[in-house]
Amino acid sequence: MDDDEEEESEDQTGRGTADEEHLQHAKWISLFNFTSRAHILPLTIAGCLSVASGIVIPALAIFLGKIFDTFADYGAGMISGSDLTKQTSVNGLYLLGLGSASWILNGSFFMFWLLFGELQAKHIREMLFNGMLQREMAWYDLRKSGVNAMIPRLQTQIRELQIATSQPLGFAIQYTVTLCAALGLAFYTAWNLTLVTIALIPFTAVALAYVSARMQPAIDLQIEHLTQASKLANNAITAIDTVKCFNGQDFELWQYLEATKKAALCYLVQARANAFQIGLVRVTLLGMFVQGFWYGNHLVDTGSRTPGQVLTAFWACLMATQTMEQLLPQMIVLEKGRVAAATLKAVLLKVDRGRKIKQMIGRKTPRYCDGDIQIKRVSFAYPSRPDHPVLRNASFFFPAGETTFVIGRSGSGKSTLGNILLQFYPPASGEITIDGEPIQVLDTNWLRNNITLVQQSSVLFNETIFTNVAFGRRDYGKVRREEVKRCMEAAALKDTIQDLPNGLDTLVGIGGSTMSGGQKQRVAIARARLRDTPILILDEATSALDHISRTKVMEAVREWRKGKTTIIITHDISQIRGEDYTYVLDKGRIVQEGYRHALEELSDGAFAGFLHPGIEFPNQSLKDLPQSYRRHSAHLSTLQESPRSSVETDDSMDIHLPQRTIIPKAYYPSSENVRSWRQSQGFVSSLPPLAMHMNRMSTANARMSMSSFGNFNLQAEQTTHSSSPSPIELESIHVPRAVDGEEKLSKRVNTRRASHHSALMTSRANKTSWFNRLSRLDIALLRPSQKDNDLSSLQTILSTVWPRLTRKHRVVLIFGFLAALIHAGATPVFSWVFSKLLGTFFLTVGRSQQALIWSMSVLGVAVGDAIASYFMHYLLEICGQAWVDSLRVEAMKRILDQPRSWFDRDKNNLSTLTECLDRNAEEMRNLVGRFAGFAFVAVTMMSISCVWSLVICWKLTLVGLATAPLLYGITRGFEAVSGNWENKCNDASETAGGIFHETFVNIKTVRALTLESYFHRKYNTATAQAMKTGLRRAAYSGLFFGVSDASIIFVTALIFYYGSLLTASDEFAAQDILTVFSMLLFSIANVNAIVAFIPQINSSRSTAARLLRLSSLPTTSHEHNGSLHITHLPGAIHIHTLSFTYPLRPLTPVFSSLTLSLHLHRSIALVGSSGSGKSTLAALLLRLYSSSPGTLTTGTIDISTLHLPSWRAICALVPQSPSLFPASIADNITYGLPASSPFASSASIQHASTRAGIHAFIASLPLGYDTPVGDGGIGLSGGQVQRIGIARALVRKPQLLIMDEPTSALDAEAAESIRRLVGELVREGCTVIVVTHSWEMMRACGGVVVLGEGKVVETGMYGEMIGRRGGKLRALIGERDGVA
């Protein structure tokens, strides 16, 4: 099995991106996975500085030992007071020199490690970007969680690796050096005493290693659940319209809550293990002095060692133990960085193993491209559904310089042509040639620069309109405005652009969110016009346009494309002229081909099914056709005799559409084209001119035929409604709708769905009740945050902890801080006991007995401190996790609760929101779980030590306290500088992350336009800016860190000097001075440890502010204004003097004093040119946006007063591009329904699917309705997705159904079934509003409303309106198909 096959098999057996970390064991060397040669120099410098700065503490121990010896000599009467002061002064000067060295070394150390972290982050970003940019589309399709969910997790892991390889890695090396140096000093001073003292450390190390190994599965599971949570948030925000319209907020929140709870449980396993490790280290490190002092006394008694040597060894061991304790919190960060590095490496391995974009050595780049395309017996299946071939032995010929149409039903394989021609995917078998050259030998960039693909879902980038159009050219930087304006005119966009405040310089928003579907399509066509490649593929590129705009655009396309190869994939056969060659696809096979006028002569042909949908035809295979009916028959006749490809074997798991028949093909070629093609292929054929055998149909005859067909249907529709007045004029008599659920419907057995819905509300109308039960799920119902502009203030952030915890977690928090209080008190107590132990060296009588007493006291303090330390860390981690989970859920709740306009703002883009819910929340937890406990301990410890010291020696203590304001000022300065640059670095990182997200979410369009180099440069610029910001942060933060760290040594020198003065003057005993020394030095060391955490605290604070912004979003949306619950549609919908502008386009009104009445039990077609507000009106009816001024009423009730969930419960929306969630088809159809609803039963689902015309397809799938549809519906055609969207709306039996272009992606037969469905729904008592450009749908509806210039410009019945000379509808859809 090769790498490509192995990758596919792995993904197909359930190994997705969430499990990629299992591909490589996370070793400590993983932290350097992305260290390049260019990084070795800064890494070496940083390492050397770590070593040098690590020696500072052992050097400090040497000087402290000498000072203690001086005090011991004075206590023994060996030196005078003046000698004491003199010798202490000398050692104090050494301490000042050591402090200065510490300033330089630690400042430089901090700066270079931050630099190394920035280099690591930049390198991994570039490697990921470059690696993913080279992958084929199959790699993206096979991502189990989808690209949208994968990218935020990658950003989080990059951040975790960057943090770990910055100062935590430096501190780890520094502390390791300090540890080794301290132990080296201890061994040098008294090797035997040191061995006895540290005898327990090896056993402790083994225990720590065992616990660390046991943590790895919990870390892996946490990453998996966080990825799932990120995926759920991503899907909900992406499909926010669907979530809101189907009342899916509860379900999405519930799913998100479940995923975060599972991740929290995994994290608490890690927290418990970490707390145990810290407690174990604590008891070991403090308890080891028991045997050490016993043996030290023995050495002094026997004269083997002096008290100074024993105490120097003890000080060195003590510093080693404190260093080990300081190392543990850094190890937690390094552990996360190690896993992140291994995960990223595994992702890159996956990327490297994935199929690269294949280019031959000496890539072939022909000088010219004529555009002659041959596809010979090609079979293909998408990687995500390898058992479902979408093309089966299909052969096409697209001659150079001609326009060819490809039509077929949804899922027949039409859109696949564009994908394989642009080499997004390689075919499984067969051959594709362009100008006689096999496509695989052509340079990929050359190919894509000569082929333009315009798809139905046109992708626009977050740039100006001008830039989006300019992207059509390779030299987009040199495109002139006049050129873009000409292209805009060709795309019928001139007037639209002129109406925009900034014209061509108007930003289109993320994904073109500020533009309508039709406007986006026309911008894409304008881009294609500027691109002007020899080959153009239009894949339903005008489906969202009105008839006039579509006609204008297609006429412009035809004029522009004269003499150039053009492939038009469409369902709209009105675009096909009599002389246009057409292929008809069904189930991936060509079932008919020929010129339109010839195809129309065959009344029993497949093409006739598009003229007269619903007619069944006799079955006839391709090989039964006359040879002369084929465009390249001589070649095909040879191909048909060859064996079928492996994709088509009987063993293949084909997914069959409802059975359709195959009918004869027609052929009407241009003799010149046939001749040129035959010559190029070397064939000699005696094809008879088919013009002698077939009747030519003129365009006029074709139009007449369509018109006659149209009149027949129109008359039938008018007959149906002849007894009723026009719905625009009078309100019909209300007919009660059949009571839902009278039939006994069997419940669908779906445990997965039931588990998700078990705690949801029984009634969809009562939305708020579920939120009131959040406290039962251990997540508090969060209180609205106070209005505080400075959310980044640490005080503001921590003030949110208590209100957001449940009663249970508040008790846990109290006990956590009580444990912290005991832990804080243990250090001064240990200092006092330790000083008493030191004092035994001055005793001449009973030394051993006193040493034993105080040694046991030390052991007791060590055990108590270890227990307190364990509970402090674990309980605070529990509270930190609960706090963050509550904020996450509240943020998610409020995000889903925001009005639709909120999501249109740049700062609320998808990547920012998902990253905030993921990475920011994870970092934020440290504020309570780690840093709050340390800070509380430091403050408490200082307070206890100061009070105690004041009692023992108030003068020395006051001198020490006098330095506090200076130390506080230095620390605050460091915090301010670090925090400021941390914010700037986060902003720069978010910018780079946004570009990364935009590039790979739209990778197909990026490649189609060969914009890889543009986005690569754009991303490199963003990462370079992030790097530059990081360098400045490193310089400023390093300077202040050096000052804050060195200041502790300066204060130590001052305290010892003043202490010598007090001792020499006999004001205080030497024992008391040593006690105060011990307490203050222990306390200062702990405070100094907090200073080392300031950068991480600022990082957490910065990210916390972002999450708090989301959790504090206002709940005053217009969606909460109503409170009136309803269970049925009160009456007709009346719109009175309605005005509306989108918040982001306040100078471009959509409606101006719009007045309209939509009556019950009628079907109304909303018609208008693209951008006239049709979809906007549908959004206003569903209250996605607030309308003001003006009123929207149903009956006599203002819709704004209605309880919105109950209003949406009786409505349903079918958007033009329905959003599918990564779940089963059944779950997608019943989305938003509680499991107890009768509408969620199997019978209801099948009934809705049958009416939507999708049941036969679903039933043909191996898993039926339990088939997962993947990330966003991967593997389904646009028409299949649209029909599932229709089934989703039908299953809930709505009283008001709003359909936005429901047939835009459907073939003629499916579209006709939907038009019949509209009539059936009206007869059943449903009110149907259809936004459409289709004149057939207008005719099928009971009335038509034409919108234009922000108001209603015409209303009436279709037959009446189309006959009006000078009427708006007639002008809109033209006279070709619509005239009665």
Side-chain angles (χ1 to χ4, degrees):
M1 179 183 293
D2 62 21
D3 286 343
D4 297 338
E5 292 171 349
E6 184 181 351
E7 180 194 358
E8 290 184 18
S9 67
E10 282 176 344
D11 281 272
Q12 291 164 13
T13 55
R15 292 187 66 173
T17 55
D19 297 322
E20 285 173 333
E21 64 271 12
H22 296 292
L23 297 177
Q24 177 177 329
H25 180 65
K27 300 178 181 177
W28 287 114
I29 195 66
S30 299
L31 289 169
F32 302 98
N33 278 340
F34 308 102
T35 303
S36 67
R37 290 183 179 179
H39 303 164
I40 292 177
L41 179 61
L43 175 61
T44 303
I45 295 174
C48 292
L49 289 169
S50 293
V51 172
S53 59
I55 297 174
V56 169
I57 299 301
L60 179 63
I62 294 175
F63 292 117
L64 291 180
K66 290 183 177 181
I67 292 174
F68 184 83
D69 263 342
T70 303
F71 274 85
D73 289 343
Y74 175 78
M78 298 173 61
I79 60 174
S80 64
S82 59
D83 291 334
L84 170 65
T85 305
K86 183 179 178 180
Q87 292 182 25
T88 304
S89 299
V90 171
N91 287 315
L93 290 175
Y94 286 134
L95 287 179
L96 291 178
L98 186 65
S100 301
S102 174
W103 184 350
I104 297 172
L105 291 174
N106 280 292
S108 302
F109 144 85
F110 198 84
M111 180 177 67
F112 273 91
W113 278 113
L114 286 180
L115 169 62
F116 179 69
E118 292 289 346
L119 289 171
Q120 291 286 90
K122 187 175 185 292
H123 192 213
I124 180 58
R125 286 175 179 139
E126 290 173 349
M127 289 182 68
L128 275 174
F129 193 91
N130 294 336
M132 290 175 64
L133 207 58
Q134 295 176 21
R135 295 311 101 199
E136 285 190 346
M137 290 307 304
W139 187 86
Y140 294 90
D141 290 350
L142 291 173
R143 297 310 95 202
K144 183 179 179 182
S145 298
V147 176
N148 270 334
M150 179 181 72
I151 290 173
R153 285 304 304 161
L154 291 178
Q155 301 291 347
T156 299
Q157 286 156 353
I158 291 172
R159 176 67 175 173
E160 288 175 350
L161 176 59
Q162 179 185 357
I163 291 174
T165 53
S166 298
Q167 65 271 19
L169 180 57
F171 283 133
I173 295 175
Q174 184 190 62
Y175 293 155
T176 302
V177 171
T178 302
L179 175 65
C180 294
L183 289 178
L185 175 63
F187 276 108
Y188 176 77
T189 306
W191 64 269
N192 47 1
L193 175 61
T194 304
L195 281 177
V196 173
T197 304
I198 64 173
L200 292 177
I201 290 183
F203 299 100
T204 304
V206 171
L208 294 177
Y210 175 77
V211 174
S212 293
R214 301 285 293 178
M215 277 199 296
Q216 189 63 42
I219 295 174
D220 295 341
L221 275 177
Q222 184 199 13
I223 292 174
E224 182 177 339
H225 293 312
L226 286 176
T227 301
Q228 177 66 12
S230 180
K231 177 181 176 181
L232 292 170
N234 178 83
N235 292 326
I237 295 169
T238 302
I240 189 62
D241 287 356
T242 302
V243 171
K244 285 179 174 290
C245 292
F246 290 92
N247 287 337
Q249 295 98 319
D250 293 339
F251 180 58
E252 294 299 334
L253 193 61
W254 173 262
Q255 289 190 108
Y256 185 75
L257 172 62
E258 288 296 296
T260 54
K261 284 176 67 178
K262 290 176 182 177
L265 290 175
C266 294
Y267 180 76
L268 291 181
V269 171
Q270 302 169 51
R272 188 160 54 245
N274 286 329
F276 175 79
Q277 287 178 317
I278 292 172
L280 181 62
V281 169
R282 195 76 180 165
V283 72
T284 302
L285 299 186
L286 297 184
M288 68 183 186
F289 289 103
V290 175
Q291 72 266 21
F293 264 94
W294 170 82
Y295 189 63
N297 270 285
H298 171 72
L299 293 177
V300 172
D301 287 341
T302 58
S304 300
R305 292 286 187 270
T306 66
Q309 290 176 319
V310 170
L311 290 175
T312 298
F314 272 129
W315 275 115
C317 288
L318 183 60
M319 288 178 180
T321 60
Q322 287 183 331
T323 301
M324 289 183 67
E325 194 172 10
Q326 291 172 355
L327 182 61
L328 279 178
Q330 307 299 340
M331 294 301 294
I332 296 172
V333 179
L334 293 176
E335 179 75 23
K336 293 183 71 173
R338 179 180 69 162
V339 174
T343 302
L344 289 168
K345 186 69 173 179
V347 171
L348 278 173
L349 286 175
K350 277 281 208 178
V351 169
D352 291 338
R353 284 169 42 195
R355 295 190 184 96
K356 292 186 177 180
I357 299 172
K358 297 173 182 175
Q359 296 177 323
M360 290 186 62
I361 300 174
R363 306 174 295 262
K364 201 157 191 178
T365 57
R367 188 171 182 181
Y368 300 107
C369 178
D370 294 326
D372 201 78
I373 303 173
Q374 264 194 279
I375 300 175
K376 304 174 184 177
R377 293 204 65 195
V378 165
S379 295
F380 173 74
Y382 284 101
S384 58
R385 296 171 67 189
D387 57 342
H388 173 46
V390 290
L391 287 179
R392 306 164 186 260
N393 280 351
S395 298
F396 302 84
F397 174 53
F398 303 106
E402 289 194 15
T403 296
T404 307
F405 284 80
V406 180
I407 64 173
R409 293 183 300 167
S410 302
S412 60
K414 305 182 301 299
S415 298
T416 302
L417 285 175
N419 289 331
I420 61 175
L421 284 175
L422 282 166
Q423 281 199 305
F424 289 149
Y425 306 93
S429 63
E431 182 183 9
I432 302 173
T433 62
I434 295 180
D435 295 341
E437 298 285 354
I439 197 171
Q440 63 268 22
V441 308
L442 296 173
D443 179 80
T444 303
N445 283 336
W446 179 91
L447 185 73
R448 292 172 183 170
N449 282 320
N450 284 279
I451 302 176
T452 298
L453 173 63
V454 182
Q455 296 179 303
Q456 180 177 2
S457 300
S458 304
V459 173
L460 300 184
F461 300 102
N462 190 21
E463 306 280 357
T464 64
I465 295 175
F466 175 85
T467 304
N468 270 283
V469 175
F471 279 154
R473 280 246 298 267
R474 296 177 67 181
D475 57 342
Y476 43 80
K478 300 179 181 179
V479 173
R480 291 177 288 110
R481 298 181 75 85
E482 292 73 18
E483 295 177 277
V484 173
K485 287 179 180 178
R486 285 197 296 271
C487 295
M488 287 298 188
E489 290 181 21
L493 266 174
K494 180 180 178 181
D495 294 339
T496 303
I497 299 303
Q498 287 177 345
D499 292 339
L500 295 174
N502 297 321
L504 289 174
D505 296 322
T506 301
L507 283 169
V508 301
I510 297 171
S513 58
T514 63
M515 307 192 80
S516 70
Q519 289 168 342
K520 286 194 287 186
Q521 282 190 340
R522 283 182 285 172
V523 170
I525 291 171
R527 183 165 60 197
R529 176 68 184 87
L530 182 67
R531 193 172 177 81
D532 198 18
T533 52
I535 300 170
L536 173 66
I537 305 171
L538 299 179
D539 186 358
E540 297 287 359
T542 60
S543 61
L545 302 184
D546 59 86
H547 182 78
I548 292 296
S549 296
R550 185 186 305 130
T551 302
K552 286 181 179 179
V553 169
M554 288 309 300
E555 289 297 330
V557 168
R558 285 183 180 275
E559 182 65 26
W560 150 43
R561 298 300 298 176
K562 281 183 179 178
K564 298 175 182 177
T565 307
T566 306
I567 303 170
I568 301 178
I569 299 167
T570 184
H571 291 123
D572 182 12
I573 61 172
S574 67
Q575 300 177 18
I576 307 174
R577 294 177 178 175
E579 66 275 14
D580 290 330
Y581 201 88
T582 305
Y583 287 97
V584 184
L585 278 178
D586 188 26
K587 298 181 189 174
R589 293 187 175 91
I590 301 172
V591 295
Q592 195 175 21
E593 63 176 282
Y595 293 93
R596 170 170 177 160
H597 64 78
L599 295 176
E600 287 179 332
E601 287 187 341
L602 303 174
S603 59
D604 60 346
F607 187 81
F610 289 86
L611 294 170
H612 308 278
I615 300 175
E616 293 294 330
F617 306 103
N619 193 4
Q620 188 173 6
S621 66
L622 182 63
K623 61 185 178 182
D624 296 332
L625 303 180
Q627 292 292 320
S628 59
Y629 277 26
R630 307 177 195 164
R631 195 181 220 174
H632 42 299
S633 55
H635 187 56
L636 279 176
S637 63
T638 304
L639 291 177
Q640 289 293 336
E641 295 172 1
S642 62
R644 299 170 63 189
S645 69
S646 60
V647 177
E648 286 192 69
T649 60
D650 294 335
D651 294 333
S652 64
M653 302 174 65
D654 297 343
I655 299 177
H656 300 285
L657 291 168
Q659 181 63 41
R660 292 287 295 159
T661 56
I662 304 175
I663 51 89
K665 301 177 183 178
Y667 178 44
Y668 188 77
S670 161
S671 58
E672 182 180 349
N673 289 336
V674 172
R675 191 181 305 113
S676 64
W677 182 82
R678 276 185 282 173
Q679 291 172 354
S680 68
Q681 298 300 319
F683 288 118
V684 178
S685 178
S686 56
L687 288 176
L690 292 184
M692 301 296 295
H693 303 286
M694 308 182 83
N695 294 326
R696 297 182 62 180
M697 293 183 65
S698 65
T699 304
N701 289 336
R703 291 174 182 168
M704 187 177 295
S705 173
M706 289 295 291
S707 179
S708 301
F709 174 61
N711 289 339
F712 172 80
N713 277 348
L714 178 61
Q715 291 168 1
E717 184 67 24
Q718 288 176 335
T719 302
T720 303
H721 295 287
S722 60
S723 60
S724 302
S726 169
I728 308 301
E729 298 170 0
L730 298 173
E731 181 174 349
S732 63
I733 300 173
H734 175 72
V735 180
R737 189 164 77 91
V739 178
D740 295 332
E742 287 183 354
E743 298 179 298
K744 293 183 178 181
L745 304 174
S746 62
K747 291 186 177 180
R748 178 166 58 91
V749 180
N750 192 324
T751 55
R752 174 169 132 16
R753 181 176 178 79
S755 66
H756 280 204
H757 281 292
S758 60
L760 290 178
M761 57 189 180
T762 303
S763 169
R764 301 181 67 223
N766 189 10
K767 176 183 176 183
T768 56
S769 62
W770 185 80
F771 289 108
N772 293 333
R773 296 200 296 270
L774 277 176
S775 59
R776 303 178 191 175
L777 301 169
D778 289 356
I779 299 296
L781 180 62
L782 309 180
R783 305 176 187 175
S785 295
Q786 59 182 354
K787 300 295 181 181
D788 191 336
N789 294 327
D790 186 17
L791 288 176
S792 63
S793 153
L794 196 59
Q795 181 181 357
T796 302
I797 293 170
L798 293 178
S799 68
T800 65
V801 175
W802 184 262
R804 303 198 184 260
L805 295 180
T806 61
R807 183 176 301 175
K808 168 187 170 183
H809 286 119
R810 288 178 182 177
V811 173
V812 171
L813 183 65
I814 292 172
F815 277 104
F817 277 105
L818 285 176
L821 184 64
I822 296 172
H823 175 55
T827 299
V829 171
F830 177 80
S831 302
W832 180 73
V833 174
F834 188 68
S835 67
K836 293 295 185 183
L837 201 54
L838 292 178
T840 59
F841 289 108
F842 300 106
L843 298 178
T844 55
V845 180
R847 177 188 296 169
S848 298
Q849 183 180 2
Q850 289 295 313
L852 178 63
I853 293 173
W854 293 114
S855 294
M856 289 296 101
S857 300
V858 166
L859 182 62
V861 172
V863 172
D865 186 38
I867 295 173
S869 180
Y870 169 81
F871 281 107
M872 178 192 81
H873 286 92
Y874 182 50
L875 297 181
L876 290 182
E877 287 283 16
I878 290 175
C879 294
Q881 186 66 54
W883 175 51
V884 167
D885 281 347
S886 69
L887 285 171
R888 267 183 170 146
V889 174
E890 180 69 6
M892 185 67 175
K893 170 190 168 185
R894 296 200 182 204
I895 287 172
L896 297 177
D897 203 40
Q898 294 307 296
R900 182 61 182 81
S901 57
W902 184 84
F903 295 89
D904 296 333
R905 300 172 190 164
D906 281 346
K907 70 176 182 178
N908 301 324
N909 63 75
L910 177 63
S911 62
T912 299
L913 294 178
T914 51
E915 183 179 359
C916 188
L917 291 170
D918 185 6
R919 175 176 72 84
N920 292 1
E922 287 298 292
E923 288 191 33
M924 181 181 182
R925 178 186 54 226
N926 293 333
L927 288 177
V928 171
R930 291 175 57 198
F931 305 136
F934 282 128
F936 179 79
V937 166
V939 172
T940 305
M941 195 179 296
M942 280 297 295
S943 301
I944 295 174
S945 297
C946 289
V947 171
W948 203 332
S949 298
L950 282 170
V951 172
I952 297 173
C953 181
W954 63 272
K955 284 188 176 182
L956 181 58
T957 305
L958 287 179
V959 169
L961 290 178
T963 64
L966 178 61
L967 293 176
Y968 178 78
I970 293 173
T971 304
R972 289 291 293 176
F974 176 40
E975 180 186 357
V977 170
S978 176
N980 178 45
W981 285 103
E982 186 68 38
N983 286 330
K984 292 180 179 179
C985 286
N986 281 334
D987 291 339
S989 177
E990 282 185 6
T991 301
I995 297 170
F996 191 97
H997 185 272
E998 183 178 33
T999 302
F1000 293 108
V1001 167
N1002 303 313
I1003 185 62
K1004 192 173 286 187
T1005 303
V1006 169
R1007 286 181 175 168
L1009 296 173
T1010 62
L1011 290 173
E1012 294 95 334
S1013 60
Y1014 169 80
F1015 280 98
H1016 191 253
R1017 285 195 302 272
K1018 186 177 180 180
Y1019 187 68
N1020 281 347
T1021 300
T1023 55
Q1025 181 60 40
M1027 180 71 185
K1028 181 179 178 181
T1029 306
L1031 290 178
R1032 297 178 69 184
R1033 169 199 172 206
Y1036 286 106
S1037 297
L1039 174 65
F1040 278 84
F1041 176 77
V1043 174
S1044 62
D1045 197 72
S1047 61
I1048 303 297
I1049 300 179
F1050 296 147
V1051 171
T1052 302
L1054 175 63
I1055 291 174
F1056 269 108
Y1057 173 72
Y1058 188 67
S1060 67
L1061 293 178
L1062 293 177
T1063 305
S1065 63
D1066 292 331
E1067 289 189 54
F1068 296 93
Q1071 177 67 38
D1072 293 337
I1073 295 297
L1074 288 176
T1075 300
V1076 173
F1077 279 166
S1078 299
M1079 289 186 179
L1080 292 182
L1081 288 178
F1082 269 94
S1083 301
I1084 289 173
N1086 281 275
V1087 172
N1088 193 34
I1090 297 297
V1091 172
F1093 283 121
I1094 285 179
Q1096 295 178 51
I1097 292 173
N1098 282 323
S1099 176
S1100 298
R1101 185 185 68 179
S1102 177
T1103 55
R1106 287 165 165 78
L1107 185 58
L1108 280 178
R1109 180 184 76 86
L1110 295 181
S1111 66
S1112 304
L1113 288 171
T1115 56
T1116 56
S1117 165
H1118 69 277
E1119 298 188 3
H1120 296 288
N1121 293 342
S1123 58
L1124 180 61
H1125 290 252
I1126 58 172
T1127 57
H1128 65 278
L1129 198 59
I1133 296 173
H1134 301 286
I1135 303 171
H1136 182 65
T1137 62
L1138 178 70
S1139 296
F1140 177 76
T1141 58
Y1142 283 101
L1144 295 185
R1145 289 179 286 169
L1147 300 179
T1148 308
V1150 181
F1151 295 128
S1152 179
S1153 298
L1154 175 71
T1155 299
L1156 175 66
S1157 292
L1158 306 172
H1159 299 286
L1160 285 177
H1161 311 150
R1162 289 292 181 268
S1163 54
I1164 307 298
L1166 289 181
V1167 181
S1169 60
S1170 299
S1172 61
K1174 304 181 298 298
S1175 298
T1176 301
L1177 183 57
L1180 290 173
L1181 287 172
L1182 289 166
R1183 299 284 291 156
L1184 292 175
Y1185 295 92
S1186 176
S1187 56
S1188 178
T1191 58
L1192 273 168
T1193 61
T1194 172
T1196 59
I1197 304 172
D1198 192 326
I1199 292 178
S1200 63
T1201 65
L1202 296 176
H1203 179 242
L1204 193 54
S1206 68
W1207 166 248
R1208 289 175 177 165
I1210 63 173
C1211 303
L1213 171 69
V1214 180
Q1216 184 174 354
S1217 300
S1219 298
L1220 295 187
F1221 298 90
S1224 69
I1225 294 175
D1227 285 340
N1228 270 283
I1229 291 175
T1230 59
Y1231 179 77
L1233 292 174
S1236 59
S1237 171
F1239 298 145
S1241 67
S1242 298
S1244 294
I1245 295 171
Q1246 291 184 19
H1247 181 64
S1249 301
T1250 302
R1251 300 188 79 179
I1254 195 67
H1255 172 70
F1257 165 73
I1258 298 173
S1260 71
L1261 299 174
L1263 298 178
Y1265 283 90
D1266 292 325
T1267 301
V1269 292
D1271 184 37
I1274 289 176
L1276 298 179
S1277 71
Q1280 290 161 350
V1281 171
Q1282 199 161 46
R1283 281 180 284 176
I1284 290 177
I1286 294 171
R1288 176 190 288 160
L1290 296 178
V1291 76
R1292 56 205 73 226
K1293 296 185 178 180
Q1295 298 177 42
L1296 175 63
L1297 176 61
I1298 302 173
M1299 309 176 84
D1300 189 354
E1301 297 287 359
T1303 60
S1304 62
L1306 302 183
D1307 56 81
E1309 181 183 6
E1312 175 61 23
S1313 69
I1314 299 303
R1315 289 192 289 272
R1316 288 197 300 267
L1317 174 64
V1318 170
E1320 294 171 6
L1321 291 171
V1322 170
R1323 288 189 289 275
E1324 292 171 7
C1326 181
T1327 303
V1328 183
I1329 299 173
V1330 185
V1331 175
T1332 185
H1333 289 127
S1334 167
W1335 67 269
E1336 295 100 329
M1337 180 61 80
M1338 299 176 203
R1339 188 180 58 186
C1341 291
V1344 179
V1345 174
V1346 182
L1347 299 176
E1349 300 177 355
K1351 56 183 180 293
V1352 176
V1353 295
E1354 190 178 23
T1355 62
M1357 298 291 291
Y1358 175 81
E1360 167 197 345
M1361 295 169 67
I1362 202 63
R1364 295 175 188 166
R1365 295 292 176 183
K1368 296 293 184 181
L1369 181 63
R1370 187 185 179 103
L1372 187 66
I1373 68 174
E1375 301 183 3
R1376 173 181 169 183
D1377 298 315
V1379 178

